[in-house]
Amino acid sequence: MRPGPLTLLAALCLSAPTGADEISRLEEIYGPGDLAMVSGLGRLTVGVNGRGRISLCKWPTPGYNDQLTYRTRTRDAPALGVEPGHGILWGIRLDGELVWMNDPRWEVYQHYDAPSNSIMVTEARWPNSSIAVTQRVSVLPLRDVLVTELAVSGLALLPQIYWYANFTPCTRHIPEIPVADSLLDALNDFAAFSDPDEGLVVHFRPEKPSKEDWERAKRLTQDAATPGQWRTFKDGTWIGYRGSQGLRKVHCGSGVVTPSQAVGLLPDTTGRPSSASGQTYSVVEIVPKRESDRYIASVVVGFGKNYQQLKDLLDDVAETDAGESFHEIAQFHRRIIDSTVYPDALGQRALEYSWRAQLTLLAARDVNTGSFVRSPAIQPPLARDWPKHGAWIVHAMDLAGDLDIAEMQLKFYLNNIRTEYARGKPIGSLPASTYTDGMEASPHFIVDDEAVAWLLWALKEHSAFLPDARRDEFLESIWEQVVLCADFLAAWKDSRRGAPLWADDPITFRDPTTRERLFAAKLGLDSAISIADEIGRAPAKLWTDRQRQVDNLVRGIVLDQTNQWPVGGSLPMFLDQLAEMDEQVLDQAVTRRLQALDDLSGYDAAWSFAQAAMLWRGQKDKLEDLKPSAERALENSLTALTGDEAMGLREPLFPDALAAALCIVAIRTIYGFDD
C-alpha cells in the first residue's frame, strides 16, 4: 500500500535534528561561534564578527580551508577569549591613540548593505564625538577576491589608517578531523613577504612544504631576500593584497604580537621589502583619499595557486576602485534575486527576509560539487555537509524551483554511499558528514542511520517535482543506490528487540533516542517502498518486513493506551496508518508552535515555523492562517534585536544554512509552491 499523505510528513517532522542544543554542545567543546555575517557565492567565503573584525576566511570553498588564525575560547571571556592579533582589523589614530575596529568603546551597528546583497556593513561611532567609521566587506562574484573599505568621517585632518592581517595559509584538510585546518594553525602557514614594485604583500604556503622548503624560507628571511626569490616557491595557497593609493609602509613579521605592537615595527621609510617565515602576520599603513567629508581607504585581497596567478587576478581589478566593486557585487546579487520567482502575496519585509535566506544558502554551497555546509563557520566546526540536514536544503531548493541545484546535491550524496564493507562502514551507509569534496569529515565509527533515511526521503520528494517522463528516468537511474540504502536501513536492527542498532549522533557524539531513530527508519523505508512502487518494482521482503516491525514498535513506544497521540507529547501527530489523526490535537500542535515564536530565534524559530507549515501542508484554508506570522517567523529566524528595543534595530544572526532552508520550506509551503 502506498503511504498516505501524512506518512512521510509525520516522520519528517519528528525526525529532525534539535539544532540549538547541538550547536551549544559543540561550542562547549570547540569554542563559541564568532560570526555575525558572511559573504560568498560558493568559492572564497569571508565573514565578520559582531565588532567588524574579519573572523572567517575560507578558500577555495566555504567548506575548506581556513586561511586565518582565529580562535575563540569561552563566552565568559572578553572578546570570547580571542587574542588581539587574530583575524583581520582596520586601525586608526584618534587624538594620538591607535584604535582598532574591535575596540569595545565603539558603538557598533551591523547590517547588510541591502536585503538583496551580501555586502557586510559595520557602522561604528566613537563615544562623545562626531567621529564615525563605516566598514564594508564582501567578495567579488565569480572571482576569488575580497574587497574591504573603511570610510572615516568627523575628522578635520588626514588620518593615519592601518590594516593588520593574520593570514595563515592552509593547503590541507584531513579525513575525519574536521577541525584540523583551524585548531592546528601551528602546523599551517609558511611565509610572508612584500613586493614594493608591485605594491603587494603576499602570504603563502606551498602545497606540501618539505624540510628543504622550510630551511630555504628561513634563509631568505635572514638574508632579506628580494621578492623575486620568494616568488619561485611552488604551487599551494597564495594570498596577496594591495591598498588604495598604494601601501605607504609595510611590515611582515612572525610570532605573537598585538596589532598595535605590529604597527610599532613599521619601518621609518617607505618602499623597503619585508619578509618573515613561520607563523606570520603583516601590517600596512594606507594613505586614504578624501571624498567630500570622508576619508576612505580600501584593500583588495586575492587568492591563487601561485604568485603569477595571484598577481594576474589582482591586476585584473587594479583599475576598479572599491566603490565600483561594491556596486558590481550588489548588482550581481540582485540579478540572482530577480531570477527567482517569489509569491506575489508575500509582504515586503517577509520577501526581503526570504532573499536573505536565499543568499545565506548560496554562501554555504560549493559551486563545484553542489554540496552545502551547515555554516562556513570554523567554531563550532559546522563547515561540513550532513545528509540529515541536507535533505531539508534539497527540499527547499525543490520548492523554490531550483531543481538542478537540488539534483546536484543529491548526486553528491549518492556518490558517497558506501559500496564496499570496511570496519565501521557498512555497505549502504553514508558518512555522517563530509567536506564539500566528499572526503569524510566525521570519524568513520559514527554510523548515522538517520542520514540514509533522510537521503531516501529527499530522493522520493525530489522525484515528485519532476515531469512524468523525467521522474521515471531519475528513479531508474538511482535504483541501485536506493537498494543499497534500504537494505542497510532494514538490516540495521537489534535482532532481539528490533530497535535500530547502535549509532551515534553526528553532532553531539551521543546515542540518539530509540524513538528518533525509529521515526527515521520509518521515514526511509516508506520512501524506498514508494520509489519501488513508482517505477513498478517489487520492494524487497526485507524492507516490508522491517517496515511492519517498525510500525509495531512505534505503536508500542509512542501511542497511549487508547491508540492515540498523547496530548502532552512533543508533537501530537503520527503516521496515519497507525492511529486516527485527531484534527483538533494537530491544530493545537500548530498553535503551540506559533505561540512560541516570540521566544525563539535562529534555527529554533525557523524549525518551529516550518513544522507548523508542514503539519498543515495541503490544507489551504489553514495555511492561510499562517501568513500573518510569516514576517515575525522569518525575522526571528534570521535577525535579532540589538540595543534599545524601542528603536527596533535588528542585526543578522549567525549564518545557518539549515535555518535558511527551513525558512524557504515554510514560505513555499504556506504560499502554495509545493504543488
Side-chain angles (χ1 to χ4, degrees), residues 16-29 374 380 382 389 505 507-510 516 600-604 607 656:
T18 56
D21 290 340
E22 297 172 343
I23 292 176
S24 177
R25 283 191 286 269
L26 279 176
E27 287 188 341
E28 292 176 6
I29 300 170
R374 173 77 184 263
L382 296 176
H389 296 160
D505 187 285
I507 290 190
T508 63
F509 293 94
R510 301 176 183 176
E516 291 171 338
L600 299 176
S601 66
Y603 166 87
D604 292 329
W607 173 234
D656 184 344

Side-chain angles (χ1 to χ4, degrees), residues 265-287:
L265 296 172
L266 284 169
D268 294 330
T269 58
T270 62
R272 291 176 51 189
S274 179
S275 62
S277 60
Q279 297 297 299
T280 66
Y281 63 87
S282 61
V283 64
V284 297
E285 181 180 349
I286 300 175
V287 179

Side-chain angles (χ1 to χ4, degrees), residues 575-640:
L575 309 180
D576 58 341
Q577 307 102 308
L578 303 180
E580 290 296 325
M581 190 66 66
D582 188 322
E583 185 173 348
Q584 182 179 0
V585 173
L586 183 58
D587 292 349
Q588 290 173 357
V590 174
T591 300
R592 281 201 300 272
R593 274 147 186 76
L594 295 179
Q595 291 172 342
L597 283 176
D598 286 338
D599 299 322
L600 299 176
S601 66
Y603 166 87
D604 292 329
W607 173 234
S608 188
F609 193 53
Q611 275 189 315
M614 296 294 285
L615 288 167
W616 277 348
R617 184 166 65 166
Q619 303 181 61
K620 293 185 178 181
D621 57 332
K622 292 185 176 181
L623 290 175
E624 192 72 26
D625 294 337
L626 295 181
K627 291 181 180 179
S629 301
E631 179 181 320
R632 175 166 53 107
L634 297 182
E635 187 174 68
N636 288 353
S637 300
L638 303 172
T639 66

Side-chain angles (χ1 to χ4, degrees), residues 14 515 558-560 564-573 582 584-586 588-589 592-593:
L14 286 163
R515 170 176 163 149
V558 179
L559 300 184
D560 63 19
Q564 297 288 323
W565 276 98
V567 174
S570 60
L571 192 62
M573 60 168 295
D582 188 322
Q584 182 179 0
V585 173
L586 183 58
Q588 290 173 357
R592 281 201 300 272
R593 274 147 186 76

